[in-house]
């Protein structure tokens, strides 16, 4: 008797679900971090949904579209090691009214030779910087806890 009752309840619930199909839950609004990630990722690496959502956002915000174009062109300069084109990129950024990118361009101009060299040459000090960061992290962890001998041992052990 009880099993038969549950059977009919299940049938009724199934009919209700078929009669009133549920809609997908509303998508959450993209955060600033989401949009920034979509802009800075290579366009080919975004799936269709993210590409479409980014396109909708760029259509709604006219100031963001040129910013995204400049960011992507700067990424191409970095990835393709075309540092000699940096001055042209800075000129194009200055032509648009984008204060945040103007600040970035000013910072690049202050160290133009070094930035052009870093964007052009295949040499990198990334490995050295990684080791420096690791040593600094160990030093911060050990601060006020132990003497120099223990810090030395941890640094040597980490290397």
């Amino acid at each position: 008797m009880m099993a038969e009752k549950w059977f009919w309840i299940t049938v009724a619930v199934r009919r209700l679900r078929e009669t009133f199909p549920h809609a997908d839950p509303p998508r959450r609004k993209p955060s600033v971090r989401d949009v920034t990630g979509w802009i800075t990722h290579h366009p080919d690496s975004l799936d269709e949904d993210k590409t479409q959502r980014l396109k909708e956002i760029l259509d709604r915000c006219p100031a963001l579209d040129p910013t995204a174009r400049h960011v992507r062109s700067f990424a191409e300069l970095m990835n393709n090691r075309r540092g000699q084109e940096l001055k042209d990129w800075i000129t194009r950024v200055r032509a648009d009214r984008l204060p945040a990118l103007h600040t970035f361009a000013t910072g690049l101009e202050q160290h133009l030779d070094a930035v052009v060299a870093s964007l052009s040459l295949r040499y990198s000090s990334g490995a050295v910087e990684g080791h420096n960061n690791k040593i600094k992290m160990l030093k911060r962890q050990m601060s006020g806890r132990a003497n120099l001998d223990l810090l030395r041992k941890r640094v040597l052990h980490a290397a």
Side-chain angles (χ1 to χ4, degrees), residues 9-142:
I9 291 174
T10 307
V11 170
V13 169
R14 188 178 306 136
R15 285 182 186 159
L16 281 173
R17 285 184 179 162
E18 290 170 359
T19 306
F20 302 106
H22 70 284
D24 291 332
R27 292 191 297 189
R28 94 176 157 80
K29 293 180 182 176
S31 66
V32 173
R33 179 175 286 201
D34 291 333
V35 176
T36 304
W38 298 339
I39 290 172
T40 56
H41 272 78
H42 194 280
D44 296 340
S45 68
L46 294 176
D47 61 20
E48 280 187 42
D49 181 51
K50 291 178 182 173
T51 302
Q52 182 60 34
R53 292 178 78 185
L54 177 61
K55 185 180 180 307
E56 291 170 3
I57 290 169
L58 294 178
D59 289 343
R60 281 186 287 171
C61 184
L64 193 56
D65 188 41
T67 303
R69 280 188 280 112
H70 288 307
V71 167
R72 286 199 172 136
S73 64
F74 186 78
E76 288 178 20
L77 287 179
M78 287 190 330
N79 292 334
N80 299 328
R81 298 204 177 278
R82 296 189 322 230
Q84 66 277 7
E85 298 176 17
L86 183 63
K87 286 184 181 179
D88 296 334
W89 182 84
I90 291 173
T91 304
R92 289 192 306 270
V93 166
R94 295 256 186 240
D96 288 336
R97 295 185 180 189
L98 304 167
L101 283 181
H102 288 193
T103 305
F104 179 65
T106 301
L108 292 176
E109 284 179 325
Q110 290 174 353
H111 307 285
L112 190 62
D113 293 336
V115 175
V116 168
S118 69
L119 291 176
S120 302
L121 302 175
R122 62 182 182 93
Y123 305 106
S124 172
S125 62
V128 174
E129 291 298 325
H131 289 297
N132 285 345
N133 282 339
K134 187 187 303 182
I135 291 171
K136 287 179 182 180
M137 183 214 35
L138 290 171
K139 184 179 172 187
R140 282 192 300 271
Q141 286 178 343
M142 300 293 294

